[in-house]
Amino acid sequence: QVQLVQSGAEVKKPGASVKVSCKASGYTFTSYGISWVRQAPGQGLEWMGWISPYTGNTNYAQRLQGRVTMTTDTSTSTAYMDLRSLRSDDTAVYYCAREEDKVYSTGRFFYWGQGTLVTVSS
Amino acid sequence: DIVMTQSPDSLAVSLGERATISCKSSQSVLYSSNNKNYLGWYQQKSGQPPKLLIYWASTRESGVPDRFSGSGSGTDFTLTISSLQAEDVAVYYCQQYYTTPYTFGQGTNLEIK
């Protein structure tokens, strides 16, 4: 069965960076893209961007451009989301979600990771 | 960015009764070349990731009970739960995937009356 298992909770200081991992199993990793979605405490869902493990292409939300980098390691079927220059309003649960195409982002998320809480606090 | 607006923000319905949630997009999410609405509905229970219930505005995901249905086209959409069950207590989100950045509604908190 498809599983996305994310790394554990993180506490970071303002200005620091965080790297969250998402290990995929139960399918061929390079056959489907990965999107990242975050959710601030008690708030709604915000799409952050997408990466194709097949091509390495990415598409980031404009408001995060310059601070976010998404990468994959196909040898370990793991996707990574790196967020820099952290601010207090980056405190959120970060989710990875599997897309439905290997080359193009479809925006339909049938499988999700369990979420990783990132807390930014001085 | 396409803004998704849901109503109401919160809804309390008796067990066995119908629940209806509305979602409006700031521009059409109907793609004319394939006549598909790029609109999905998600259910998020407390402490869990979202779960995709409906995509293409009205296609139920495999395993989703048939009491859940989606309708609408263009900019106006509806999620209907025909007979509310206790396990349906959750926050429901609509999402457009017509164009990036994909955007979600603010959520509707569904409770039992």
Side-chain angles (χ1 to χ4, degrees):
Chain A
Q1 73 284 19
V2 174
Q3 277 197 302
L4 300 172
V5 179
Q6 299 183 220
S7 48
E10 303 260 14
V11 179
K12 297 291 183 181
K13 293 193 182 306
S17 298
V18 69
K19 192 168 188 174
V20 179
S21 68
C22 170
K23 184 171 176 58
S25 61
Y27 71 96
T28 301
F29 182 62
T30 50
S31 293
Y32 301 91
I34 294 284
S35 268
W36 290 86
V37 176
R38 70 180 181 177
Q39 185 171 36
Q43 301 301 307
L45 301 161
E46 178 188 12
W47 179 79
M48 301 176 67
W50 159 89
I51 183 167
S52 164
Y54 182 73
T55 62
N57 288 345
T58 56
N59 180 358
Y60 301 138
Q62 184 93 14
R63 65 188 301 266
L64 294 172
Q65 284 274 4
R67 290 206 299 136
V68 67
T69 302
M70 296 175 187
T71 57
T72 60
D73 181 344
T74 56
S75 69
T76 60
S77 299
T78 303
Y80 297 93
M81 187 285 300
D82 192 341
L83 188 61
R84 301 175 291 281
S85 302
L86 289 169
R87 309 185 293 242
S88 57
D89 62 356
D90 291 317
T91 293
V93 175
Y94 290 75
Y95 294 102
C96 60
R98 198 188 82 167
E99 294 254 7
E100 291 307 292
D101 188 275
K102 67 180 180 182
V103 175
Y104 302 104
S105 174
T106 64
R108 295 188 301 279
F109 312 129
F110 290 81
Y111 299 96
W112 294 67
Q114 84 277 17
T116 297
L117 175 62
V118 175
T119 302
V120 183
S121 174
S122 54
Chain B
D1 298 1
I2 297 178
V3 177
M4 308 299 291
T5 303
Q6 292 180 226
S7 61
D9 290 335
S10 186
L11 180 61
V13 174
S14 300
L15 289 172
E17 296 300 305
R18 178 184 299 259
T20 302
I21 299 170
S22 172
C23 173
K24 294 183 187 293
S25 56
S26 61
Q27 65 187 74
S28 176
V29 298
L30 173 63
Y31 192 40
S32 55
S33 67
N34 60 9
N35 202 37
K36 286 182 180 286
N37 288 284
Y38 284 57
L39 189 284
W41 287 96
Y42 290 83
Q43 175 194 65
Q44 186 177 33
K45 296 182 178 180
S46 181
Q48 297 183 18
K51 173 187 175 183
L52 181 60
L53 297 177
I54 287 171
Y55 53 98
W56 299 133
S58 61
T59 301
R60 203 179 302 115
E61 162 63 335
S62 175
V64 172
D66 60 7
R67 64 180 180 272
F68 290 91
S69 63
S71 63
S73 185
T75 61
D76 291 273
F77 300 91
T78 301
L79 174 70
T80 301
I81 307 172
S82 61
S83 176
L84 190 71
Q85 305 299 303
E87 61 265 32
D88 300 334
V89 169
V91 179
Y92 292 83
Y93 295 94
C94 61
Q95 178 226 355
Q96 66 80 18
Y97 48 92
Y98 182 85
T99 187
T100 59
Y102 305 128
T103 48
F104 295 82
Q106 80 278 16
T108 295
N109 187 28
L110 178 58
E111 300 174 327
I112 305 294
K113 185 186 292 183

